[in-house]
Amino acid sequence: METHMTTIGLPRAMLYYRCRALWHTFFEELGAEVVVSSPTDREILDQGTALAIDESCLSLKIYLGHVRALVGRCDYILVPRVSSFGRHRNMCTRFEALPDLVRNVFRDSGQQFLSYEVDELFKKDEPGAFLELGRSLGHPAKAVKRAYKQAKKAELAHHKARVQKQELLFKREGIKVLIAAHSYVAEDPYMGRSVTDYLKQVGVIPLRADLVDREAASKRSRELSPTCKWEISREILGGIAMHQGDVDGIILLSAFPCGPDAMVNELITRRVKGVPILNLVLDSQSGTAGVETRLESFIDIIRFKEGKL
């Protein structure tokens, strides 16, 4: 008699770009099948926009579209609640509200959702959260702890490999531009991917402020802001502090209307001197032509500044 393999759906949005190695490895080590939604396209955005309130950020609208695409395709959809990793290490409130929001939006769908909660300000750490998650799926504690250990190892190795790959790019000749953005903006094909694709097309080397050693970046972030409270923003600030002298320009790339980015990007434009900065805010109406025109002008400014135009 065949036993049913549990299928876990992962929306390809928000924290997926940061946690994919962690999630994939954890569930696969426990013998589950992982199903990931397709890359963002116009249909996913439109579906998500129809489910969200108007004031939602573009990233949340896209996320809801990805959840909608997974409904009915898997036993569970993972929607974690990630609030904080300690003092001054908060996540955006969207990540805190996500499970409640998703369960409410899809309350009549019949879909089951999985969650785990990380909030170290209230003594809820990640290992404990994953232990609870694995136990809720019926696995013994020993197997869950082993799966989490392997998953954490995979996550660290995945990030380290990406950081090392980028470090090689800093040694290459050519105009280099540092993109300061959340991974779910920079890597989403309907948002930031078009920016990196355009830069490569015109012979510019795109680099990412968040592809750095996270612990070192968090410490270096204090050079730009000793009080920034958002975990990922601190890493981005630290990445800028580490590499602003190695690049020819910085692009602040965010999704409208992201509250933390609105504050942090203003801080960056005031405190980072000596390098051209472009503040690029993407929304659901952003056409590629308008974005490319602004990028073209920005690259011209860099070339003019360096006497190459």
Side-chain angles (χ1 to χ4, degrees):
M1 183 178 173
E2 280 188 32
T3 55
H4 171 71
M5 181 183 279
T6 303
T7 53
I8 311 290
L10 301 180
R12 195 191 295 260
M14 300 291 254
L15 286 179
Y16 177 78
Y17 290 97
R18 184 182 180 90
C19 300
R20 57 193 163 197
L22 177 72
W23 293 342
H24 276 265
T25 308
F26 179 74
F27 289 118
E28 286 163 3
E29 285 285 320
L30 291 176
E33 181 186 355
V34 174
V35 178
V36 184
S37 53
S38 302
T40 309
D41 56 19
R42 186 76 216 186
E43 185 182 353
I44 282 176
L45 172 58
D46 288 345
Q47 292 268 9
T49 301
L51 293 165
I53 59 170
D54 291 343
E55 291 77 14
S56 299
C57 67
L58 177 61
S59 300
L60 180 60
K61 290 174 180 176
I62 285 174
Y63 185 84
L64 290 176
H66 279 280
V67 175
R68 174 71 187 83
L70 286 169
V71 167
R73 290 180 53 204
C74 43
D75 296 315
Y76 302 97
I77 297 174
L78 180 69
V79 185
R81 187 194 308 278
V82 184
S83 303
S84 79
F85 294 96
R87 187 170 176 271
H88 284 324
R89 297 185 63 190
N90 297 67
M91 297 292 281
C92 169
T93 52
R94 295 283 187 214
F95 296 112
E96 194 167 353
L98 218 48
D100 299 323
L101 191 154
V102 168
R103 283 193 171 101
N104 187 53
V105 169
F106 296 97
R107 62 187 178 276
D108 298 324
S109 68
Q111 177 65 53
Q112 293 188 82
F113 295 95
L114 268 182
S115 191
Y116 64 83
E117 183 173 4
V118 177
D119 191 350
E120 294 198 14
L121 287 172
F122 288 89
K123 304 200 179 335
K124 295 177 181 178
D125 64 7
E126 189 180 86
F130 272 80
L131 177 59
E132 204 173 301
L133 175 64
R135 294 292 299 275
S136 74
L137 289 169
H139 297 283
K142 189 176 179 181
V144 176
K145 287 177 181 176
R146 186 172 60 245
Y148 175 71
K149 186 179 178 181
Q150 290 300 113
K152 203 63 191 173
K153 194 185 292 183
E155 180 189 43
L156 295 171
H158 178 254
H159 183 69
K160 187 177 179 180
R162 298 186 77 197
V163 172
Q164 289 174 340
K165 187 177 177 182
Q166 175 161 285
E167 288 298 326
L168 296 174
L169 294 177
F170 279 104
K171 296 171 183 174
R172 281 177 49 186
E173 289 293 317
I175 292 175
K176 301 178 189 71
V177 169
L178 191 66
I179 298 172
H182 294 273
S183 56
Y184 53 84
V185 174
E187 294 181 45
D188 190 284
Y190 209 78
M191 288 196 282
R193 186 91 62 77
S194 61
V195 172
T196 53
D197 287 348
Y198 177 80
L199 293 174
K200 288 176 184 175
Q201 188 185 316
V202 297
V204 172
I205 301 168
L207 300 150
R208 294 261 300 279
D210 61 326
L211 288 183
V212 287
D213 179 283
R214 287 171 177 162
E215 196 175 329
S218 196
K219 288 175 183 172
R220 290 290 300 271
S221 71
R222 298 186 189 111
E223 295 171 22
L224 294 174
S225 172
T227 58
C228 180
K229 61 181 279 187
W230 294 293
E231 175 80 348
I232 299 175
S233 298
R234 277 159 56 103
E235 291 171 8
I236 291 169
L237 286 170
I240 292 172
M242 292 162 84
H243 288 302
Q244 67 183 85
D246 306 320
V247 297
D248 304 288
I250 298 171
I251 295 174
L252 310 178
L253 189 63
S254 57
F256 180 82
C258 177
D261 278 1
M263 296 177 70
V264 173
N265 290 352
E266 178 68 19
L267 181 152
I268 292 167
T269 55
R270 290 176 182 229
R271 297 197 174 173
V272 176
K273 305 297 180 186
V275 57
I277 296 174
L278 172 65
N279 195 353
L280 199 55
V281 182
L282 305 171
D283 61 34
S284 54
Q285 307 305 317
S286 293
T288 54
V291 170
E292 286 180 6
T293 300
R294 294 192 64 194
L295 289 170
E296 184 181 8
S297 300
F298 182 61
I299 301 307
D300 282 348
I301 288 167
I302 292 172
R303 286 184 172 137
F304 180 78
K305 183 173 177 281
E306 296 185 356
K308 295 174 183 176
L309 190 68

